[in-house]
Amino acid sequence: MSTAALFVDAPAFAHPERARWIEAFRRVRQETERRAAPLSPEDQVIQSMPDASPIKWHRAHTTWFFETFLVQPNRPDYATFDQRFAFLFNSYYVAAGPRHARPKRGLITRPSAAEVADYRAHVDAAVERLIADASASALPEILRILEIGLNHEEQHQELMLTDILHAFAQNPTAPAYDANWRPPRSGAKEGFAELPEGIHTVGHQNEGYCFDNEGPAHRVLVGPVRIARSLVTNGEWLAFIKDGGYANPMLWLSDGWTAVQNESWQAPGHWQDHDGEWRQFTLGGLRPLDPAAPVTHVSYYEADAFARWAGKHLPTEQEWEVAARGGQLADAFGIVWQWTRSSYSPYPGFVACDGALGEYNGKFMINQMVLRGSSLATPEGHSRVTYRNFFYPPARWQFTGLRLADYN
Ligand SMILES: [Fe+2]
């Protein structure tokens, strides 16, 4: 039994805050392993496109994050598990040193999945020891980095599911990640929520943890606008397809139309036409398309074209947040991320933090669009009303959908 385990399990435990953090750390680390558990070592090596990463890489990279940003700076006596892993499992942190090329992550058969499990156990023990043994003066900064690391790992937990879904979608035998998987129930509501014109405060207001890109809170003028209470459904998307939505350049942004032609898009991602009958490749394998379910795996370009076809718009991220704060949106969380028409830019007064962790969000604030809400793959407790997800406009391997806005 490790020192940390003794520390946590002691009946006269005198440091409940440290015990809570160790518990939180274990919960997040175990959730990653739970998501990887149905996957064989072979499943865990594959990288189906440059945007996606192997499951084994996610398991190792999240571990490297704790090792690099939490353990090594605070424990001079820490024995690094393998010096070569820093090159293999650094994602994009230039300040943390050179790194392996992202599109080539799927070419790494070694370390094996089992060795990655050993790496995780090694770093887990070091992190737990650090939390248990840190001086009172060092603890606040250690917990600050720990919390970033936990939220970082939760983001990768979502990517694990979307990346393996994309990988399995390339397999003609349509393997199921979980044969018993069921989609979340949609709580669709009719109609539009009215936002009368007014000044509102958006952004994070000391309501618990947030990423740096969610602040500072600031005032914005919002409305008048009406926002759909419900997400756009597969059935509505079928009508868009039947009406020639993918064949009409007048509906598309110029870059979007180029993407339609280059990628031969005729339907959302993971839709398959079986002799005129649409099926959808899901975490449960190939399933009949449910017309009532919210549409997912659409790019920003597709969401924008659909809105134009419907005579509507996408909401801005500020409009989305005001409506969500007011409880006016059904399915705001837990089904699909919702594209907004807002480009991913710094809020007024945003300053990235110093050092390598300053690279976490700020340097990506160009050429991407904001998505709000959360998806069925988002881990429990990771969602909030100020959360700003962001992807490039053509991306559609995430669980991405939309709701409409109307300015009339
Ligand atoms: Fe990462």
Side-chain angles (χ1 to χ4, degrees):
M1 184 179 281
S2 72
T3 315
L6 280 169
F7 193 78
V8 171
D9 297 339
F13 186 64
H15 297 281
E17 188 192 14
R18 294 178 196 241
R20 270 200 308 277
W21 281 105
I22 289 173
E23 276 308 305
F25 176 72
R26 288 181 182 174
R27 236 186 352 264
V28 170
R29 298 287 282 171
Q30 285 164 4
E31 175 62 17
T32 300
E33 294 303 288
R34 192 186 69 78
R35 292 186 181 215
L39 302 171
S40 69
E42 293 88 345
D43 292 334
Q44 294 194 37
V45 176
I46 196 168
Q47 179 179 30
S48 53
M49 63 166 172
D51 282 344
S53 297
I55 298 301
K56 187 177 71 176
W57 184 90
H58 287 297
R59 295 172 64 215
H61 161 72
T62 48
T63 305
W64 166 85
F65 191 98
F66 283 114
E67 184 181 56
T68 303
F69 298 127
L70 187 62
V71 178
Q72 285 172 338
N74 289 292
R75 294 295 292 239
D77 59 333
Y78 170 72
T80 299
F81 183 81
D82 189 321
Q83 301 284 356
R84 301 168 300 178
F85 285 11
F87 184 82
L88 282 181
F89 300 125
N90 178 0
S91 53
Y92 55 65
Y93 296 89
V94 176
R99 72 217 67 84
H100 189 231
R102 181 185 181 117
K104 295 186 174 178
R105 288 174 186 165
L107 303 180
I108 304 303
T109 59
R110 298 182 186 190
S112 67
E115 285 165 329
V116 167
D118 292 343
Y119 178 42
R120 288 181 66 86
H122 179 84
V123 173
D124 283 352
V127 169
E128 294 194 15
R129 259 197 312 276
L130 178 66
I131 300 169
D133 298 347
S135 68
S137 61
L139 191 62
E141 178 62 7
I142 285 169
L143 295 181
R144 187 180 77 83
I145 304 295
L146 175 73
E147 190 167 30
I148 294 172
L150 295 176
N151 280 272
H152 169 255
E153 183 146 346
E154 287 175 337
Q155 291 183 312
H156 280 275
Q157 288 167 359
E158 172 143 8
L159 295 173
M160 288 168 72
L161 295 188
T162 54
D163 291 359
I164 198 64
L165 180 68
H166 190 271
F168 279 175
Q170 316 310 312
N171 187 329
T173 68
Y177 168 79
D178 172 6
N180 295 317
W181 179 83
R182 290 284 172 272
R185 286 181 83 80
S186 156
K189 284 185 193 160
E190 292 292 304
F192 284 75
E194 302 264 355
L195 299 184
E197 188 173 68
I199 294 173
H200 296 265
T201 298
V202 297
H204 198 265
Q205 299 166 47
N206 300 317
E207 303 146 301
Y209 181 81
C210 73
F211 286 112
D212 58 359
N213 63 3
E214 296 169 55
H218 58 284
R219 295 188 302 164
V220 291
L221 178 64
V222 165
V225 62
R226 301 187 306 137
I227 300 188
R229 295 184 194 279
S230 297
L231 302 169
V232 168
T233 64
N234 289 333
E236 291 167 318
W237 206 273
L238 282 167
F240 171 68
I241 294 173
K242 283 189 185 132
D243 199 37
Y246 281 94
N248 180 359
M250 302 309 290
L251 297 174
W252 294 79
L253 293 167
S254 176
D255 287 354
W257 184 243
T258 301
V260 167
Q261 296 184 304
N262 289 347
E263 306 295 329
S264 303
W265 286 342
Q266 298 186 331
H270 299 323
W271 283 32
Q272 297 180 15
D273 185 349
H274 288 253
D275 300 327
E277 182 196 324
W278 285 108
R279 294 183 196 164
Q280 184 175 18
F281 187 67
T282 71
L283 291 168
L286 203 53
R287 302 266 178 89
L289 188 75
D290 176 5
V295 70
T296 185
H297 303 300
V298 293
S299 63
Y300 177 80
Y301 294 137
E302 290 166 287
D304 175 84
F306 179 93
R308 193 166 293 108
W309 171 79
K312 302 286 192 294
H313 309 266
L314 297 176
T316 66
E317 63 168 318
Q318 290 81 14
E319 291 161 356
W320 189 100
E321 182 173 327
V322 170
R325 281 185 185 276
Q328 294 169 285
L329 305 182
D331 300 332
F333 301 100
I335 298 182
V336 289
W337 291 98
Q338 297 135 63
W339 287 108
T340 73
R341 67 191 310 183
S342 301
S343 57
Y344 181 48
S345 303
Y347 282 167
F350 169 80
V351 180
C353 63
D354 291 337
L357 285 176
E359 297 183 51
Y360 200 111
N361 283 308
K363 73 179 186 181
F364 298 110
M365 291 175 172
I366 184 72
N367 295 337
Q368 308 206 51
M369 302 304 286
V370 172
L371 301 101
R372 290 302 198 102
S374 65
S375 88
L376 60 91
T378 310
E380 208 178 318
H382 190 76
S383 310
R384 56 188 167 267
V385 78
T386 56
Y387 201 106
R388 304 176 79 201
N389 200 352
F390 51 92
F391 280 98
Y392 291 103
R396 61 181 203 164
W397 90 108
Q398 298 299 299
F399 291 100
T400 48
L402 69 155
R403 71 177 70 239
L404 298 173
D406 194 354
Y407 295 94
N408 295 320

